[in-house]
Amino acid sequence: MEVQTNSNERPSLNFLEEIIENDLKNGVHKSILTRFPPEPNGYLHIGHAKSICLNFGLAKKYGGKTNLRFDDTNPTKEDVEYVDSIKEDIQWLGFQWANEFYASDYFEQLYQWAVKLIEKGLVYVDDQTLDEIRQNRGTVQLPGKDSPYRNRSVEENLKLFSEMREGKYADGEKILRAKIDMAHPNMHMRDPIMYRIINTYHHRTGDKWCIYPMYDYAHGESDSIENITHSICTLEFDVHRPLYDWFIEKLEIFPSHQYEFARLNLSYTVMSKRKLLQLVKENYVSGWDDARMPTICGLRRRGFTPESIRNFCDSIGVAKRDNIIDYGRLEFALREDLNKRANRVMAVLDPIKLIIDNYPENQTEELEAINNPEDETAGTRVLPFSKELYIERDDFMENPPKKYFRLAPNQEVRLRYAYFVTCTSVDKDEEGNITAIHCTYDPASKGGNSPDGRKVKGTIHWVCAKSCIDAEVRLFDRLFMNEIPEKVEEGQTFLDNLNPDSLKIVSNAKLEPSLKDVKALDKFQFERLGYFSVDYDSKEDNLVFNRTCTLKDSWTKQN
RNA sequence: UGUCCCGUGGUGUAAUGGUAACACAUAUGAUUUUGGUUCAUACAUUCCAAGUUCGAGCCUUGGCGGGAUAACCA
């Protein structure tokens, strides 16, 4: 039977790709320019990664470029600390911007344009207090009231605005507003504020300015200055679009266009910068790069690769409907990547001694192990083996259930890459706790196969007691217990949903000796346990591994 | 309650008027020196109603449901 293939089939495009392809086809633009516009007031998180992959990805796909532009219009909240981390994270993700810009680069131009709008009679200086402005804005159902200062003369507005810039007024004393419509059904069109007075040092412009443009006036105009063709942002800016267009139209400048997509929500995690900041400030986590944080630096420390994050972002799609992506989706992307790339090693997290009674007392053997069965070029390594080993405590059961394939009295298993062993007895202390397991081995099964062709159901990992090395291993679980952490009972906050067991520290893990010289961020698969990455805290004499995620486990799941 | 956006398997995304596809998850089975990987199979008539049409997930109207929006934040 022939497989039906239709080479003329239209590739499935997301709505942004469709818009771009149409613009290109119809000659609206010859090439495209996007931008990633973070405010330097926090660290980037996985939600930003979606936006980064989108903006840089779209530009790359259609042969365009992407600018990095810091939206630094509010000096009271922003800091260079954040600028540096943002740049580092974008590059780590694998993207390079065409230009590094700042909204503050455009303050003079923005000011001149504001003057132009005043001259056109479209903008005025308002003396109302913050409260009055709020009052007079009306509500979603009730129209607002015009400011008593709304009809000042152009000359007076010009003079006042100039004085605002010169620093004649205190914070809040005067603001500049666009004169649109105080009864507009869209609240953002009710004479929106363009400039406010903030007498604060700015991390880039210093004390040069004491008036700062608001987002609505700065963002679209910055897009226009840079000739951004497609200004892509999240859904909540949809209601700002009429204003975005209004300024550009009145200013008669390059017509950038704004398009909105649904932000990423990940189950069991919070994404708002405010909440993440709170977790850091109130010490619920150790910092922005705590391995349980959904920040880029947190995911990096946890052991995620840039490739896995990019693949994740590409796989979740882009649309306009609200969504909650299953956290497992991120883990899938990680496993898919690391399965092909991470070398396998053996590590025992909860060690119990296994003594091979019929193995020669002082003998040591070297056994060959495959580094990565998914990648032949990864080669092999040598594992030391001797009479006393450590195995995982839960790889032994005295009274096993029916389908338990691991070690149990009189049950034979394979020690990976080593021998078949059969459990003969256990040692116990006075309380009845098992202190060691005894077994015998079959010398003919060296390497893990018996010449008589006999099969064993289970294969377990181990390390040699004499030559293994110690390590600390940090086991992470989801930070929150609920799929939607902010969904809480009356009187509770998302903090009430914090998972008290999100971090478990194993201090006496035993690793095979090949792991002696690892560096921070090195990644491995600990066979049968999961993917692990070396933490920044790791030192030569005190290794620290982070569990990035477990392997899929169809055994514990059904038990 | 005004305005705007959005409703397709458990979760995401596709189907661009021609009879619901892909991925994740889940379940079962096969293979396996990782209870991993890989492979196979199963799992929705598209929020509701009416209309247009030979034909509607897609177009129209009306409901219903979810979200955004009333910072001198972005």
Side-chain angles (χ1 to χ4, degrees), chain A residues 2-246:
Chain A
E2 203 175 296
V3 180
Q4 292 272 334
T5 54
N6 185 354
S7 55
N8 293 325
E9 205 174 323
R10 186 151 86 345
S12 170
L13 302 175
N14 68 47
F15 77 102
L16 293 169
E17 292 169 327
E18 224 160 278
I19 288 165
I20 290 171
E21 291 200 2
N22 276 329
D23 286 350
L24 257 15
K25 194 175 66 194
N26 300 333
V28 179
H29 303 291
K30 281 204 276 296
S31 63
I32 69 161
L33 221 207
T34 61
R35 105 266 91 115
F36 176 64
E39 183 188 13
N41 70 342
Y43 283 69
L44 260 26
H45 55 62
I46 184 74
H48 293 109
K50 177 179 178 181
S51 172
I52 290 167
C53 289
L54 240 188
N55 277 296
F56 284 89
L58 249 14
K60 189 176 178 195
K61 176 168 182 180
Y62 294 103
K65 289 188 160 72
T66 305
N67 288 343
L68 169 61
R69 185 177 67 238
F70 289 97
D71 237 329
D72 55 350
T73 56
N74 186 351
T76 64
K77 291 190 174 173
E78 295 148 8
D79 197 280
V80 273
E81 174 201 357
Y82 299 117
V83 171
D84 296 338
S85 78
I86 287 167
K87 283 159 53 174
E88 184 190 352
D89 287 348
I90 297 170
Q91 287 176 318
W92 178 77
L93 277 173
F95 297 104
Q96 188 54 56
W97 47 90
N99 298 102
E100 177 183 335
F101 290 136
Y102 294 77
S104 55
D105 295 339
Y106 311 135
F107 281 175
E108 185 60 40
Q109 174 67 268
L110 260 18
Y111 178 84
Q112 294 306 331
W113 278 343
V115 168
K116 181 177 166 186
L117 291 176
I118 293 174
E119 287 166 346
K120 282 179 132 187
L122 294 168
V123 163
Y124 64 100
V125 172
D126 196 350
D127 295 2
Q128 291 182 107
T129 64
L130 199 154
D131 263 359
E132 288 168 330
I133 287 175
R134 213 170 270 172
Q135 286 292 321
N136 292 335
R137 188 153 29 220
T139 69
V140 284
Q141 316 140 65
L142 260 38
K145 285 203 273 290
D146 284 5
S147 164
Y149 305 95
R150 198 171 197 260
N151 294 314
R152 290 219 245 233
S153 68
V154 169
E155 291 67 33
E156 190 182 7
N157 281 322
L158 250 15
K159 175 171 164 284
L160 260 17
F161 186 47
S162 161
E163 288 174 351
M164 280 168 66
R165 175 180 184 166
E166 284 156 20
K168 274 191 93 168
Y169 304 106
D171 288 13
E173 220 176 304
K174 285 187 164 40
I175 58 161
L176 189 74
R177 302 178 77 173
K179 194 191 287 189
I180 304 181
D181 179 2
M182 286 308 292
H184 199 106
N186 182 337
M187 299 293 288
H188 295 277
M189 297 298 270
R190 319 246 259 229
D191 288 14
I193 294 166
M194 293 169 64
Y195 272 94
R196 74 287 213 203
I197 297 166
I198 306 175
N199 285 286
T200 296
Y201 181 86
H202 183 283
H203 69 103
R204 295 204 96 226
T205 59
D207 294 318
K208 185 170 181 208
W209 295 89
C210 60
I211 56 171
Y212 291 91
M214 296 283 288
Y215 168 86
D216 283 308
Y217 179 59
H219 196 92
E221 286 43 64
S222 299
D223 284 343
S224 182
I225 289 169
E226 294 175 20
N227 281 14
I228 300 297
T229 55
H230 302 264
S231 180
I232 298 163
C233 62
T234 46
L235 245 34
E236 66 270 27
F237 292 100
D238 178 289
V239 284
H240 295 244
R241 183 156 26 89
L243 225 203
Y244 182 103
D245 293 339
W246 189 89

Side-chain angles (χ1 to χ4, degrees), chain A residues 483-541:
Chain A
E483 219 171 311
I484 305 171
E486 35 274 283
K487 202 170 171 184
V488 292
E489 306 272 304
E490 179 91 21
Q492 294 198 317
T493 73
F494 74 107
L495 296 171
D496 293 294
N497 279 326
L498 275 165
N499 177 4
D501 301 316
S502 60
L503 169 61
K504 283 197 184 109
I505 296 178
V506 171
S507 52
N508 64 330
K510 307 287 185 189
L511 316 180
E512 64 168 72
S514 72
L515 256 10
K516 189 162 44 73
D517 299 315
V518 295
K519 308 183 305 293
L521 263 31
D522 281 352
K523 291 162 181 59
F524 300 91
Q525 182 194 111
F526 289 0
E527 292 220 30
R528 304 209 300 135
L529 297 175
Y531 293 101
F532 293 75
S533 178
V534 179
D535 191 77
Y536 302 132
D537 292 342
S538 193
K539 296 188 184 62
E540 219 171 295
D541 56 349

